[in-house]
């Protein structure tokens, strides 16, 4: 089945540690995105990538880093510089071209940093 | 910059009744797309419906319809015949697009509305 995989579903880390969230898609989509969601809030864009080896900052990129070495994979690293890393992280992908409007989301990773 | 406003933090509806979830937007882009997503308590984001800014007719997808009023910059979601499984958070979102509907990708989301369906 085609879709987006995010692992793990729950992640716990100590403050000061970097942590990498994985995102894999087998939809052959060119574009991939990372969003952050805080309780009771909407999603905010962290980073996005429209092609391999290229990515752009979203609205809240500070304290995060990404890479896009393969079309299928778009890992997000939450660095120790991120002041409030505890949140729900959602990865998404979409095709490009006319009417490619649907953005598919993964199941998300809940990160708790203590 | 794009902005989405959802003014209803929570809505209640009786099972089998219709409900309207409000969404207003602000953008200077001449071409854009409007979306509604459903987020159950599990956290997954489920795409419901899409409306392009140049589409002449309001979008419909089964029990979902989008009441698009371009001059008022509103894109309200109408759910007909509500079901208990409709209880969830609902998000309105928008995206800049080219005139042909080509995506520039990134979505801007509103704060969401929690819908509760009573039996």
């Amino acid at each position: 089945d085609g879709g987006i995989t995010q692992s793990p579903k729950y992640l716990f880390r100590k403050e000061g540690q970097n942590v990498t969230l994985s995102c894999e898609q087998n939809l052959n989509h060119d574009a991939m995105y990372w969003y952050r969601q805080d309780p009771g809030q909407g999603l905010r864009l962290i980073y996005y990538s429209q092609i391999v080896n290229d990515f752009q900052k979203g609205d809240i990129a500070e304290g995060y880093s990404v890479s896009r070495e393969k079309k299928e994979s778009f890992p997000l690293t939450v660095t120790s510089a991120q002041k409030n890393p505890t949140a729900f992280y959602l990865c998404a992908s979409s095709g490009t071209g006319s009417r490619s409007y649907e953005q598919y989301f993964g199941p998300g990773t809940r990160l708790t940093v203590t | 910059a794009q902005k989405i406003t959802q003014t209803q933090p929570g809505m209640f509806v009786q099972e089998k009744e219709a409900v309207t979830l409000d969404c207003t937007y602000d953008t200077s882009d001449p071409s854009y797309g409007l979306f509604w997503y459903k987020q159950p308590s599990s956290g997954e984001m489920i795409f419901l419906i899409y409306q392009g800014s140049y589409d002449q007719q309001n979008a419909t997808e089964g029990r979902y319809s989008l009441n698009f009023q371009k001059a008022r910059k509103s894109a309200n979601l109408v759910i007909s015949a509500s079901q208990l499984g409709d209880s969830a958070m609902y998000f309105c979102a928008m995206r800049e697009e080219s005139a042909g509907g080509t995506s520039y990708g990134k979505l801007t989301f509103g704060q969401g509305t929690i819908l509760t369906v009573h039996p």
Side-chain angles (χ1 to χ4, degrees), chain A residues 99-103, chain B residues 2-4 23 25-27 29-37 47 49-55 59 66 68 70 74-75 92-109:
Chain A
R99 304 298 291 187
S100 58
Y101 48 76
E102 187 169 349
Q103 199 162 106
Chain B
Q2 300 177 337
K3 185 177 180 182
I4 294 282
C23 172
Y25 60 90
D26 190 22
T27 182
D29 298 320
S31 182
Y32 49 89
L34 294 156
F35 303 76
W36 278 91
Y37 282 85
F47 166 77
I49 196 166
Y50 163 86
Q51 176 86 43
S53 59
Y54 286 103
D55 290 344
L66 199 152
F68 180 45
K70 195 171 183 178
S74 74
C92 180
M94 74 180 301
R95 179 184 70 191
E96 179 190 349
E97 294 179 351
S98 70
T102 301
S103 160
Y104 292 124
K106 51 182 182 152
L107 294 170
T108 299
F109 285 83

Side-chain angles (χ1 to χ4, degrees), chain A residues 1-70:
Chain A
D1 286 334
I4 301 177
T5 304
Q6 289 185 249
S7 62
K9 189 168 185 177
Y10 298 94
L11 191 54
F12 299 89
R13 281 292 183 271
K14 294 289 187 185
E15 193 173 327
Q17 294 179 334
N18 291 356
V19 58
T20 297
L21 282 59
S22 76
C23 176
E24 304 278 333
Q25 55 100 358
N26 60 4
L27 299 166
N28 200 31
H29 284 165
D30 289 312
M32 297 186 74
Y33 315 83
W34 274 105
Y35 294 91
R36 169 185 171 135
Q37 185 178 27
D38 293 289
Q41 301 294 313
L43 280 65
R44 292 182 291 168
L45 183 67
I46 305 172
Y47 267 98
Y48 65 104
S49 167
Q50 295 188 312
I51 56 172
V52 174
N53 292 322
D54 187 49
F55 47 82
Q56 285 79 41
K57 293 181 179 180
D59 301 318
I60 55 165
E62 186 175 349
Y64 300 97
S65 66
V66 294
S67 62
R68 187 85 188 277
E69 296 176 1
K70 298 187 299 181

Side-chain angles (χ1 to χ4, degrees), chain B:
Chain B
Q2 300 177 337
K3 185 177 180 182
I4 294 282
T5 302
Q6 294 180 253
T7 57
Q8 304 157 316
M11 288 287 287
F12 296 89
V13 65
Q14 207 71 26
E15 195 178 8
K16 300 179 185 176
E17 299 289 315
V19 63
T20 298
L21 305 183
D22 294 342
C23 172
T24 58
Y25 60 90
D26 190 22
T27 182
S28 56
D29 298 320
S31 182
Y32 49 89
L34 294 156
F35 303 76
W36 278 91
Y37 282 85
K38 172 184 178 181
Q39 187 180 41
S41 57
S42 59
E44 63 189 301
M45 294 289 284
I46 301 168
F47 166 77
L48 296 178
I49 196 166
Y50 163 86
Q51 176 86 43
S53 59
Y54 286 103
D55 290 344
Q56 295 297 315
Q57 303 218 348
N58 287 344
T60 60
E61 290 285 351
R63 295 187 298 112
Y64 305 107
S65 61
L66 199 152
N67 184 2
F68 180 45
Q69 298 188 45
K70 195 171 183 178
R72 299 180 65 180
K73 293 190 174 179
S74 74
N76 298 340
L77 176 71
V78 180
I79 305 174
S80 63
S82 297
Q83 301 171 357
L84 296 178
D86 293 335
S87 294
M89 177 80 96
Y90 288 80
F91 290 100
C92 180
M94 74 180 301
R95 179 184 70 191
E96 179 190 349
E97 294 179 351
S98 70
T102 301
S103 160
Y104 292 124
K106 51 182 182 152
L107 294 170
T108 299
F109 285 83
Q111 296 293 303
T113 296
I114 299 175
L115 175 67
T116 303
V117 180
H118 290 303

Side-chain angles (χ1 to χ4, degrees), chain A residues 76-98:
Chain A
L76 173 74
T77 297
V78 184
T79 75
S80 56
Q82 169 50 234
K83 294 176 182 171
N84 292 300
T86 295
F88 186 48
Y89 291 88
L90 285 154
C91 178
S93 71
S94 66
T96 55
S98 179

